[in-house]
Amino acid sequence: MSVGEVAGLIAACALLILVGLLAYPILKLGKVLDETRIMVKGVSDSSIPLLGEVTETVSTTNAQLAKVDTITDNATTVTTNAAALASLFAATAGGPLVKAAAFTYGVRRALGESQRRDVSRRVKDEMKAERKARKRGDL
């Protein structure tokens, strides 16, 4: 063997060792990439049904919101109608009702004063009669 052949053999061994040393990290990297692929597949397999459920939930929520919008519109209509009815009632019957209420209040007050005066007068008369009766009985 010549020196060139020995040098070639040493270079070939060094290259073989270098390839061996580099093959190990490459094999490890391949395993890491396989695990990553499996993990991504698992995430996609579990996220697809989840996205379907989210889509179903959003559509159900939208349907419920449409019902709430209908209820809100109906409540607004009822409120508007009630306000219109109240103003119509106040415009047509409000004045006469206020006058009637004031009249009945005045009548009740007048009757109450009259009754109070009568009761007061009777009580005073009874007290005077009792005093007179006592004075007669004492003498």
Side-chain angles (χ1 to χ4, degrees):
M1 253 200 208
S2 69
V3 175
E5 290 176 350
V6 172
L9 190 60
I10 292 175
C13 286
L15 187 62
L16 183 65
I17 292 173
L18 181 64
V19 167
L21 289 175
L22 291 177
Y24 182 73
I26 290 175
L27 289 174
K28 288 285 191 181
L29 182 62
K31 287 182 182 179
V32 168
L33 290 176
D34 284 343
E35 290 295 322
T36 304
R37 181 184 54 81
I38 291 169
M39 185 179 69
V40 167
K41 184 177 186 250
V43 167
S44 68
D45 287 347
S46 64
S47 65
I48 288 173
L50 182 65
L51 289 175
E53 290 176 13
V54 167
T55 303
E56 182 180 336
T57 301
V58 168
S59 65
T60 304
T61 303
N62 285 338
Q64 293 298 322
L65 285 176
K67 290 179 183 178
V68 168
D69 284 342
T70 303
I71 292 169
T72 304
D73 291 341
N74 290 340
T76 302
T77 304
V78 167
T79 303
T80 303
N81 291 343
L85 183 63
S87 23
L88 176 66
F89 179 74
T92 58
L97 281 178
V98 168
K99 289 177 184 177
F103 176 74
T104 57
Y105 175 75
V107 168
R108 277 187 291 143
R109 181 108 186 223
L111 290 176
E113 284 293 322
S114 156
Q115 288 174 353
R116 269 189 249 141
R117 271 185 268 140
D118 290 344
V119 169
S120 176
R121 195 174 311 132
R122 273 187 269 146
V123 168
K124 285 180 185 177
D125 290 342
E126 287 177 12
M127 288 174 65
K128 283 181 186 178
E130 283 181 21
R131 276 190 236 140
K132 285 181 184 180
R134 274 192 227 151
K135 283 183 182 180
R136 283 186 213 151
D138 288 340
L139 293 173

